[in-house]
Amino acid sequence: MINLMRKHINIIVITLCSLFIWNCRGEIIPNEEDLADYGWVLYTRGDYNDAREWFRDAVKKDSYYFDGYNGLGWSLGNLRQPDSSIYYFQKYLSKDSSFVRHITMDFYAGLAFAYNAVGKDDSARIYCTNFDANINQVEGESGLWSFSHNTENNEINYLDVWLIEAISNFRLASFQNCKSRISEIYNQYDSDNNLKVVPPPESVVTLINDVDIETVEGRADLTQHLFYIQQTIQY
């Protein structure tokens, strides 16, 4: 009798184990969010080629999923393919033109960088303007933009977009706007009330407020300021 009971218990245990193992072996199909999330993992590691493929799969899974297009745009930008970056950023915005701050600001910034890279300064300036219109400085740091997938060695924020705007204005011979934006960059403070970009000393270049944009020398000074800011915020 005891042996019979043991036999029944063993059969039940084996059956339950079989069911558990069978269920665990069921195929797990990732959705578009899973695909994009892993794409960002690869992106933050600097593996832009593989990240691009995961983002592409996310878009194939759901042609309206914003983060797939966002990831494609930024990955392609880092792969020095700005034309393709523009294509995917614009493709999403053509599908959904509604403004959602934490989403759309990434697209505006990405388009500003990409258009700047291909020398389309009019378009770069348009997206810088769209971007800037949605920064709320009254709210302090929380109202300013930082890229949603920054890494320790690659931090992108609103100052990078402002730099692109200043460069675009310079290229378009809008020197006063370029000077004004540079001055504003030099006037940004962090939460500890320290300047984010400390202006270069007068011994290095003419102070930005003293630059005469009507002269060749003054415009050369603007280029020095632009180069200085670029070196400062990228390192």
Side-chain angles (χ1 to χ4, degrees):
M1 182 67 177
I2 292 174
N3 288 335
L4 183 60
M5 288 178 65
R6 285 177 178 170
K7 182 177 180 181
H8 282 299
I9 290 171
N10 287 337
I11 291 172
I12 291 170
V13 170
I14 292 170
T15 302
L16 289 174
C17 288
S18 299
L19 288 172
F20 178 75
I21 293 170
W22 178 260
N23 287 333
C24 286
R25 288 179 179 174
E27 186 178 4
I28 299 173
I29 301 175
N31 60 25
E32 63 278 4
E33 186 175 351
D34 297 325
L35 295 167
D37 283 350
Y38 190 65
W40 287 118
V41 170
L42 296 172
Y43 179 95
T44 55
R45 292 176 184 169
D47 188 355
Y48 304 120
N49 269 309
D50 284 345
R52 173 184 56 183
E53 297 309 312
W54 283 81
F55 291 129
R56 187 167 285 154
D57 287 342
V59 168
K60 288 178 182 177
K61 178 77 73 171
D62 182 351
S63 63
Y64 282 84
Y65 186 53
F66 75 92
D67 220 15
Y69 291 100
N70 194 25
L72 275 169
W74 285 93
S75 295
L76 289 162
N78 279 283
L79 290 169
R80 302 184 185 278
Q81 298 178 39
D83 286 311
S84 296
S85 177
I86 290 167
Y87 171 80
Y88 283 106
F89 283 138
Q90 291 286 23
K91 188 172 183 179
Y92 173 75
L93 292 178
S94 70
K95 289 175 176 285
D96 187 351
S97 60
S98 60
F99 181 83
V100 180
R101 191 177 192 282
H102 73 280
I103 296 172
T104 315
M105 293 290 273
D106 280 8
F107 282 81
Y108 287 168
L111 282 165
F113 293 137
Y115 277 122
N116 172 264
V118 298
K120 293 184 177 180
D121 296 298
D122 275 322
S123 295
R125 186 166 61 175
I126 286 170
Y127 282 100
C128 287
T129 301
N130 291 343
F131 174 93
D132 198 43
N134 291 284
I135 284 182
N136 187 347
Q137 296 189 69
V138 176
E139 296 177 1
E141 288 293 320
S142 63
L144 302 175
W145 175 85
S146 289
F147 183 47
S148 54
H149 298 281
N150 274 332
T151 63
E152 185 177 344
N153 298 321
N154 187 20
E155 287 196 27
I156 301 171
N157 61 35
Y158 72 103
L159 292 178
D160 295 278
V161 182
W162 283 6
L163 174 61
I164 293 298
E165 184 178 6
I167 291 170
S168 297
N169 278 319
F170 183 89
R171 290 176 177 173
L172 294 167
S174 183
F175 301 117
Q176 183 56 53
N177 286 330
C178 174
K179 178 181 174 179
S180 297
R181 182 54 85 194
I182 290 171
S183 181
E184 196 166 2
I185 290 173
Y186 287 149
N187 199 38
Q188 295 299 298
Y189 291 83
D190 62 21
S191 56
D192 295 322
N193 207 33
N194 297 314
L195 284 170
K196 293 183 177 181
V197 180
V198 178
E202 191 173 5
S203 59
V204 174
V205 62
T206 304
L207 299 179
I208 189 62
N209 290 337
D210 296 332
V211 170
D212 183 358
I213 62 170
E214 301 301 326
T215 66
V216 173
E217 292 79 11
R219 294 169 188 177
D221 287 333
L222 287 180
T223 63
Q224 285 187 264
H225 280 285
L226 291 171
F227 181 74
Y228 171 81
I229 293 169
Q230 184 178 36
Q231 295 299 304
T232 302
I233 66 180
Q234 289 185 351
Y235 298 97

